[in-house]
Amino acid sequence: MEMLVVIAIIAVLAAMLLPALSKAKMKATSAVCISSHKQFGLAWTMYASDSRDTLVNIKCLKKPHGL
């Protein structure tokens, strides 16, 4: 009987904890995404600074057909 009570309490605690863990995971994913965007912007700015204030032309980055 006591074992069932312990299992029930653990189940209730787990049910309360799972939504909080889900929110924490979403915030962590968001932080990684924001950091990646910041790094990309910084790299783009540094490239422009080193290249007479010109930016990367996206069309030049695309691979030709057949490769």
Side-chain angles (χ1 to χ4, degrees):
M1 184 70 157
E2 292 98 20
M3 185 72 137
L4 290 175
V5 172
V6 170
I7 292 173
I9 290 172
I10 291 172
V12 168
L13 291 174
M16 291 171 30
L17 186 61
L18 287 177
L21 290 176
S22 176
K23 288 180 184 177
K25 183 179 178 183
M26 284 185 2
K27 283 193 174 193
T29 303
S30 175
V32 168
C33 183
I34 289 170
S35 177
S36 294
H37 280 270
K38 180 182 175 185
Q39 289 295 319
F40 182 73
L42 181 61
W44 200 318
T45 302
M46 290 172 64
Y47 177 87
S49 176
D50 292 342
S51 302
R52 294 175 290 169
D53 292 330
T54 58
L55 294 176
V56 177
N57 186 353
I58 299 298
K59 292 179 183 177
C60 293
L61 296 177
K62 292 183 181 179
K63 292 183 179 179
H65 295 288
L67 289 179

